[in-house]
Amino acid sequence: MNERKMLLSRIKKYDFALKELNLYLDTHPNCRRALAMFNEYKKLRKDAVSEFTQKFGPLTPEENADSQHWNWIDDPWPWERS
């Protein structure tokens, strides 16, 4: 598996963990352990997205990092990215 696919896979795993923890925290808002895990996965995801953006371009339009160029549409197009 190439580096791009490995990073995307990590981001997807973090997204899944965050969604599950979000649902759990909705019903257990005082669970400090779950909140700590949520914050940790949030940081891991942020770091992975930042690394991905630096190496391969933005995953979403909001992550366009170049103030002089709209790199969101650079090849490959966003929907062509796997």
Side-chain angles (χ1 to χ4, degrees):
M1 184 182 294
N2 67 33
E3 183 181 10
R4 187 173 178 282
K5 287 184 179 181
M6 286 174 50
L7 270 172
L8 277 176
S9 178
R10 275 189 12 219
I11 292 167
K12 289 176 186 178
K13 289 174 186 175
Y14 297 149
D15 284 341
F16 178 81
L18 285 165
K19 188 60 165 174
E20 290 298 308
L21 286 164
N22 177 180
L23 293 170
Y24 180 81
L25 284 163
D26 283 349
T27 58
H28 301 80
N30 298 318
C31 181
R32 291 182 187 207
R33 183 169 181 249
L35 185 56
M37 289 172 64
F38 183 88
N39 288 328
E40 179 63 21
Y41 279 108
K42 186 168 70 169
K43 181 188 179 317
L44 289 169
R45 184 190 187 282
K46 181 181 175 191
D47 293 345
V49 168
S50 177
E51 182 180 350
F52 185 94
T53 300
Q54 285 181 319
K55 292 181 178 180
F56 306 107
L59 285 171
T60 64
E62 295 83 16
E63 293 154 359
N64 186 71
D66 189 337
S67 63
Q68 303 298 315
H69 173 71
W70 185 245
N71 61 359
W72 166 246
I73 62 166
D74 290 350
D75 288 336
W77 284 81
W79 53 85
E80 295 174 330
R81 298 176 186 152
S82 56

